[in-house]
Amino acid sequence: MAGDTERIEKDIAQAREELAKTLDQLAVKGNPQRLAGEAKAKALGIVQKPAVKYGAAGVGALVVVAVIVKIFR
């Protein structure tokens, strides 16, 4: 009977340690600053692609021309 109690206590202690590790991992994964940093890095990676960069510049130029034409009409 004493061996069963010790085994159960040991199992409980091990389960607590595993739970603590899992909670630590979740805290790291769910860190808002880390998530924001990853999102920013991903967005910058997309924006730095030549097709996106030059496409955005072209659209911006068209908007400027459209505004100027509208002003002088």
Side-chain angles (χ1 to χ4, degrees), residues 1-2 4-5 13-15 21 25 27-28 30 35-36 38 45 47 51 53 57-58 60 66-69 71 73:
M1 186 64 85
D4 289 340
T5 304
Q14 184 178 359
K21 288 178 187 177
Q25 291 171 350
V28 169
L35 293 172
E38 286 179 0
V47 171
K53 188 187 301 186
V67 169
I68 292 172
V69 168
I71 289 173
R73 270 195 163 185

Side-chain angles (χ1 to χ4, degrees), residues 19-46:
L19 180 59
K21 288 178 187 177
T22 302
L23 289 174
D24 289 343
Q25 291 171 350
L26 288 173
V28 169
K29 277 187 170 184
N31 184 332
Q33 291 176 341
R34 187 188 67 80
L35 293 172
E38 286 179 0
K40 180 180 175 183
K42 187 174 182 179
L44 286 175
I46 291 170

